[in-house]
Amino acid sequence: MAQALKLARRGLLTTTPNPRVGCVLVRDGQVVGEGWHQRAGQGHAEAIALAAAGEHARGATAYVTLEPCSHFGRTPPCADALIDAGVRRVVSAMTDPNPKVSGRGLERLRANGIHTETGLLESEARELNIGFISRMTRGRPWLRLKAASTLDGKTALENGTSQWITGPAARRDGHGWRARACAILTGIGTVREDDPRLDVRDLPCERQPLRILIDARLEVSPEARILADANCLIVAADPTPDKVAVLADRGIEVIAIPNAAGKVDLPGLMQELARRGMNELHAEAGFKLNGSLLREGCVDELLLYLAPMLVGDHAQGVFNLAAMTRLDQAVSLDIRDVRQIGRDLRIIARPKRQPDRQDAG
């Protein structure tokens, strides 16, 4: 199963909106076939492993990181392929959270005399597909918010200077997290101040994530670099038709998702992005939008880079949060990983949820 998970990770940057899946076929203690899903519309991991094994698949055990599918999508059901190949046993790391599958694949295998087991290295498999699980079970993508700050929690000087707080290694690592996301989210304030491209650089990337701009009043400049091509979605509250038409002529879509305050409905946006097949969402924004995303319960994970420097008072912070009078009002975090990247420190943390708001992890 560890080898199957290793294979599945090869699809980390390419499988969206599908999950990342790997499969290893073993007969008489020998690996006879391996496969991994690369991108939507192409062969699933089980089908590729079966093709590699040929007749050696008969009587084999299949180790697969996700329950074999039982429905027709762009490809035939993998459960049927395993049955037809004469596989004797199927071990899956986890059941499929997709309601179209959700146990049906394993049921079909058992109905055809194949022994099934599930739960082997399940936590690792869930982490690999945490965005897919979130979309299937919560109807929203997994939102990972990235920020870079000094050790005293500042993202920029008082005059707005922020390039570069972190070093090259941390910035390259951040681009790796961008690359695995379905989309990169930012706000109009960041676009006005920094004019970012919000693309993946510094590493090979077959697929550039969609760029999403939250711009309630549609104030973005036509010259902004985020609008360099049509791979951009703008989310407004009440956009004027003439501005929408100008952007539409450039192939850029504008959608309106307003809340009662005349701003963008952030939870509503999460639901819309899930409807569009988005699994993982990567946010890089300013302290106002960061604070709004956190306050409205949209943030699932924080990706924080801390530079070994102090810049003192009057500099900009990471989150715009209301003043608190008690420590029990603070946003409590679970630290998941801490490591040094170049000269900087990287912390991965997740906001603790109340019992009725458990996340997919």
Side-chain angles (χ1 to χ4, degrees), residues 25 40 46 67 82 96 105 132 144 152 160 163 180 189 192 203 236 248 267 332 357:
L25 293 171
E46 299 95 320
E67 174 187 0
L82 291 164
D96 195 328
F132 179 76
R144 183 177 294 113
D152 51 350
Q163 297 183 343
R180 67 176 283 170
R192 275 197 300 253
L203 72 164
S332 186
R357 294 184 60 206

Side-chain angles (χ1 to χ4, degrees), residues 287 291 295 319-331:
F287 76 108
R295 284 194 308 273
F319 298 101
N320 180 26
L321 297 176
M324 301 175 190
T325 57
R326 303 188 316 273
L327 285 177
D328 62 7
Q329 296 173 319
V331 178

